[in-house]
Amino acid sequence: MFSGLSGADIAIVFVSLIISMTLHEAMHGFVAHWLGDTTAADAGRLTLNPLRHIDTLTTLLLPLVLIILGLPPIFAAKPVPFNPARLKYDEYGAALVGAAGPLTNLVLAVFASLVLKAVGPESNIFTAVGLFLEVNVAFFVFNMIPIPPLDGSRVLYAFAPDFLREIMERIESAGLGIIFFFVAIFALVPSAGNFIANIDTSVINFLLLH
C-alpha cells in the first residue's frame, strides 16, 4: 500500500486524508450528541469544517512522511471531546462514540470499492478512488486497534473486566505518546508494519472481491 507514489498521487492522498479525517472526527461528535452529550457542540467540533479537526503534526505531516518512507501511515486528528458521564448507555454509549469514526471510514471504503468495480481500471478516476479506498481502510484498521487512546479501546473497554480497564486507563494517560510509540515500532520493527499493512491489504481485497 502507498508505495511508489508520484507527486500527484501524494496530493490525492492529502485530500483523501482531509476528507476522511473530517468525517471520522465529525461522526464521533454527532454520535455523542445523539446520545445526549453536547461537549463536542459546545467546543465547536460538531462540524464538517476540516480546520476544526486538523492537527498539523499528527494529521498532515506524520502520515505523509510515513507514506513517503514507505511505512504504514498513522493518522491522528484533534480528538473530539466528549463526556462519558453524559452519554446514554454508560460505557456502551462511549463504545458507540468510539466506533463511529472508524466505521465511518469503513463505509467510505465500501463506497470507494463499489465505485472502483463500477468504473473499471480504464477510468480516469480509478487511481484517485483507489487511493481514497486505501486511506480509509488504513484509518479503519489503525483506529480499531484496541489500545488507548485509539478508538478500538473504547469498544474493548465496554466489555473488558475491571483489571483490564485499569490497565487501559493507565495506558491512556500517556496520550499521544502511544501514537509515537507505534511510529517507532513500525520504523524499527518491519514485521510490525508489515502485519498492519497485510491487514489493510486483506480488507481491501475483501471489499474488491465481494
Side-chain angles (χ1 to χ4, degrees):
M1 290 179 64
F2 301 112
S3 59
L5 297 181
S6 66
D9 291 340
I10 291 176
I12 293 170
V13 169
F14 177 82
V15 173
S16 297
L17 281 172
I18 298 300
I19 295 172
S20 304
M21 173 275 303
T22 299
L23 292 172
H24 175 111
E25 294 300 327
M27 284 306 298
H28 283 313
F30 285 130
V31 170
H33 194 271
W34 174 62
L35 291 173
D37 178 26
T38 62
T39 303
D42 296 339
R45 299 294 301 280
L46 205 63
T47 176
L48 294 178
N49 178 0
L51 297 178
R52 301 294 298 174
H53 303 297
I54 288 175
D55 179 272
T56 303
L57 174 61
T58 59
T59 308
L60 304 179
L61 296 180
L62 177 61
L64 288 178
V65 167
L66 292 174
I67 287 170
I68 291 171
L69 294 176
L71 297 171
I74 291 175
F75 314 91
K78 292 179 184 177
V80 169
F82 74 98
N83 184 348
R86 299 174 65 183
L87 295 171
K88 297 176 183 176
Y89 315 125
D90 302 316
E91 64 266 26
Y92 301 107
L96 290 173
V97 173
L103 290 179
T104 296
N105 294 121
L106 181 59
V107 170
L108 292 173
V110 170
F111 174 76
S113 70
L114 293 175
V115 172
L116 288 177
K117 287 184 280 190
V119 301
E122 298 81 13
S123 172
N124 293 331
I125 66 170
F126 189 85
T127 297
V129 176
L131 290 172
F132 184 78
L133 168 63
E134 291 186 18
V135 164
N136 277 283
V137 168
F139 257 116
F140 169 71
V141 170
F142 180 70
N143 280 284
M144 284 305 293
I145 295 174
I147 298 176
L150 301 177
D151 297 326
S153 68
R154 292 287 179 185
V155 178
L156 176 60
Y157 187 89
F159 302 95
D162 290 341
F163 80 91
L164 184 54
R165 290 184 177 187
E166 293 176 3
I167 294 173
M168 293 171 69
E169 288 169 357
R170 293 175 185 174
I171 294 174
E172 190 163 16
S173 65
L176 285 177
I178 300 299
I179 301 297
F180 291 104
F181 171 77
F182 275 111
V183 173
I185 291 296
F186 289 164
L188 298 175
V189 185
S191 59
N194 291 336
F195 177 73
I196 297 298
N198 288 338
I199 295 176
D200 291 349
T201 300
S202 296
V203 173
I204 290 171
N205 288 339
F206 177 83
L207 293 178
L208 292 177
L209 295 174
H210 291 82

